[in-house]
């Protein structure tokens, strides 16, 4: 295969990780909303935990992004 | 010209060579100094006439103070109060450094892997030192708690050790990746606007990417604060964990 083509295909494959991240974020926020609607008085505590979790899940997506960028620009 | 990675280039502003070390002032170092100077000036002016009835700037500073105070208290408990000065300066340094990087033509030093991994490694080393200082050699019990069945111990130790070593790496890469991804995204979408303008018939559509970029900048501003917050929360948890005395 042409190495340049392989580079671009690799970049595309690298962001398949976003599939899992999408599921994870959706699940996380759905349970966050559920928890808040069950107990609105705990919103403040839940939101800070929620945002910490959001950042952690999102970092997986960004790791995939870094891999894709490395393939496109560095290799 | 349109290379999205161009703004992450480290340029040497003032070359300084001391013995065999390269201590040159790069643009990254210059922006770090700018950040520290801004924090000092802001806090200096804000707390100059500190009184019972706060001035407007004192209100802002007190808000930030209690915000980090809450984080430290919820994550590290009452004995974590000693961590507060470090956590507060870490939050301000990362947060203001991120926000400075959002300005046009500015350099954001948190987009350099060496800076973020460096900060994460400092937290990591401090957590080991605090752990040994507070718990003695008992600290290493943490990798192998009591009451585990003997056949599971080797796996447990290996897994625990790996997750321990990956802490500074994940902490550093998270901040780095968030900042780089945001900047690259803004630049790529701005590139769409440029290529729309250059085609004469479709030049009107260029307003769409520009408008989207405005939204994206607001999102980036939130991410900047959020990442500083997450960095502080996680390093607080790590430090508190090594400070805690094991009950046995």
């Amino acid at each position: 295969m042409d190495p340049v083509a392989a580079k671009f295909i690799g970049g595309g494959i690298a962001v398949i990780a976003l599939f899992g991240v999408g599921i994870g974020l959706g699940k996380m926020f759905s349970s966050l909303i559920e928890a808040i609607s069950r107990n609105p008085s705990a919103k403040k505590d839940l939101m800070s935990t929620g945002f910490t979790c959001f950042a952690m899940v999102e970092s997986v997506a960004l790791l995939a992004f870094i891999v894709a960028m490395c393939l496109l620009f560095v290799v | 010209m349109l290379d999205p990675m161009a703004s992450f280039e480290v340029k040497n502003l003032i070359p300084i060579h001391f013995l065999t070390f390269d201590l040159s002032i790069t643009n990254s170092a210059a922006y770090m100094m700018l950040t520290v100077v801004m924090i000092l000036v802001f806090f200096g002016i804000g707390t100059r006439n500190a009184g019972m009835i706060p001035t407007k700037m004192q209100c802002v500073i007190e808000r930030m103070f209690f915000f980090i105070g809450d984080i430290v208290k919820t994550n590290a408990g009452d004995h974590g109060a000693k961590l507060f000065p470090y956590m507060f300066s870490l939050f301000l340094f990362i947060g203001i450094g991120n926000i400075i990087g959002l300005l046009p033509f500015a350099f954001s030093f948190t987009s350099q892997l060496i800076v973020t991994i460096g900060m994460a490694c400092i937290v990591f080393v401090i957590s080991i030192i605090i752990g040994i200082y507070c718990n003695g050699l008992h600290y290493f019990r943490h990798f192998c708690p009591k009451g585990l069945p003997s056949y599971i111990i080797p796996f447990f130790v290996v897994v625990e050790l790996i997750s321990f070593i990956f802490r500074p790496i994940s902490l550093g890469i998270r901040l780095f990746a968030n900042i780089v991804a945001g900047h690259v995204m803004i630049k790529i979408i701005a590139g769409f606007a440029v290529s729309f303008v250059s085609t004469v018939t479709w030049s009107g559509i260029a307003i769409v990417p520009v408008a989207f970029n405005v939204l994206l900048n607001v999102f980036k501003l939130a991410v900047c604060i959020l990442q500083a917050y997450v960095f502080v929360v996680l390093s607080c948890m790590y430090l508190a964990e090594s400070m805690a005395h094991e009950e046995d």
Side-chain angles (χ1 to χ4, degrees):
Chain A
M1 192 190 280
D2 181 23
V4 179
K7 201 166 87 169
F8 286 128
I9 292 172
I13 291 172
V15 289
I16 288 181
L18 297 194
F19 183 67
V21 174
I23 294 174
L25 278 182
K27 213 164 153 46
M28 196 218 92
F29 273 111
S30 79
S31 21
L32 182 67
I33 291 168
E34 200 180 305
I36 290 175
S37 52
R38 272 168 198 263
N39 185 3
S41 60
K43 184 177 176 184
K44 207 182 152 214
D45 293 340
L46 289 173
M47 282 305 255
S48 61
T49 317
F51 275 117
T52 317
C53 292
F54 164 73
M56 287 196 187
V57 176
E58 201 201 14
S59 69
V60 176
L62 293 165
L63 216 62
F65 171 80
I66 294 289
V67 171
M69 281 290 147
C70 285
L71 283 173
L72 291 185
F73 290 106
V74 181
V75 176
Chain B
M1 191 64 192
L2 287 175
D3 181 15
M5 291 301 188
S7 77
F8 304 123
E9 216 172 302
V10 176
K11 295 185 198 87
N12 203 340
L13 300 182
I14 307 167
I16 302 170
H17 288 281
F18 178 71
L19 299 179
T20 52
F21 303 107
D22 186 5
L23 299 176
S24 313
I25 308 279
T26 57
N27 54 356
S28 171
Y31 272 98
M32 277 187 228
M33 289 177 203
L34 180 70
T35 307
V36 173
V37 168
M38 275 177 69
I39 294 170
L40 288 180
V41 168
F42 180 63
F43 274 70
I45 294 174
T47 56
R48 199 180 41 193
N49 298 321
M52 199 62 182
I53 303 164
T55 56
K56 281 174 193 161
M57 259 169 111
Q58 198 188 333
C59 276
V60 177
I61 290 170
E62 278 180 9
R63 245 350 284 154
M64 291 200 277
F65 200 86
F66 289 124
F67 178 62
I68 303 297
D70 272 354
I71 295 175
V72 174
K73 197 175 268 180
T74 49
N75 287 302
D78 285 331
H79 63 282
K82 286 177 203 151
L83 295 177
F84 177 75
Y86 179 50
M87 290 302 143
F88 193 47
S89 31
L90 207 57
F91 178 77
L92 286 176
F93 186 65
I94 297 173
I96 293 184
N98 286 347
I99 292 171
I100 285 181
L102 278 185
L103 299 175
F105 302 108
F107 178 87
S108 112
F109 60 81
T110 37
S111 66
Q112 301 299 317
L113 195 53
I114 184 69
V115 176
T116 56
I117 291 263
M119 284 193 286
C121 280
I122 293 172
V123 172
F124 183 67
V125 170
I126 289 177
S127 83
I128 295 176
I129 292 173
I130 285 185
I132 294 176
Y133 177 76
C134 287
N135 301 328
L137 286 177
H138 230 72
Y139 172 61
F140 295 104
R141 243 4 249 186
H142 166 76
F143 295 110
C144 172
K146 278 178 186 161
L148 275 182
S150 58
Y151 57 86
I152 216 163
I153 284 179
F155 301 106
F156 191 85
V157 170
V158 169
V159 168
E160 198 72 355
L161 214 59
I162 290 173
S163 78
F164 186 69
I165 289 167
F166 263 89
R167 274 177 185 182
I169 299 172
S170 72
L171 199 60
I173 287 191
R174 182 176 301 119
L175 179 59
F176 159 78
N178 269 284
I179 301 304
V180 169
H183 281 251
V184 169
M185 206 145 71
I186 286 177
K187 269 149 215 160
I188 287 175
I189 289 170
F192 290 161
V194 173
S195 36
F196 270 127
V197 166
S198 54
T199 65
V200 182
T201 40
W202 297 100
S203 60
I205 300 179
I207 196 81
V208 176
V210 172
F212 190 70
N213 244 351
V214 174
L215 273 179
L216 211 58
N217 260 307
V218 177
F219 176 70
K220 270 284 292 173
L221 192 63
V223 165
C224 284
I225 310 273
L226 187 68
Q227 284 311 312
Y229 170 77
V230 168
F231 196 96
V232 167
V233 168
L234 285 178
S235 43
C236 211
M237 279 205 266
Y238 295 160
L239 291 178
E241 195 188 283
S242 57
M243 245 198 299
H245 293 268
E246 196 142 320
E247 269 114 65
D248 51 1

